[in-house]
Amino acid sequence: MSDSISELESVRAEALAAIAVIAAAGAGTPDPKVIEELRVRYLGRKGGRIPELLAALPAADPAVRPGLGKRLNEVRKEIEAAIAGLTALAA
């Protein structure tokens, strides 16, 4: 589980750092294309980092699966909210 959790936390940190850089970059509004690329990279159904981790969840130790699944959902929601914030800036 520690490998899965550490990978998840790494993806979380990477995504939130990328979002923060885009939010802080320049005086203009974020490019909607860049926002969509981030969404696809982290949340997209095919090849998205979070969905890949969710797909691997059944292979996790049954004793740790509930906690890992809960954390995956929390991170997914956190990234979704951060991307929604960027989208609001771009509007």
Side-chain angles (χ1 to χ4, degrees):
M1 174 174 162
S2 63
D3 288 343
S4 297
I5 290 289
S6 61
E7 182 178 0
L8 173 60
E9 294 303 329
S10 174
V11 168
R12 176 189 170 275
E14 177 186 310
L16 294 179
I19 291 166
V21 166
I22 292 169
T29 59
D31 183 354
K33 290 180 185 178
V34 173
I35 296 170
E36 179 62 11
E37 288 172 8
L38 274 176
R39 188 196 66 74
V40 169
R41 183 181 316 145
Y42 294 104
L43 302 172
R45 289 180 185 229
K46 293 184 179 180
R49 302 287 306 273
I50 296 299
E52 286 176 354
L53 292 171
L54 283 166
L57 190 59
D61 179 2
V64 298
R65 199 176 302 150
L68 181 57
K70 179 180 178 188
R71 185 65 184 137
L72 273 163
N73 284 321
E74 291 169 352
V75 170
R76 179 183 49 82
K77 288 177 185 176
E78 186 176 7
I79 293 171
E80 286 173 346
I83 289 174
L86 273 182
T87 303
L89 286 176

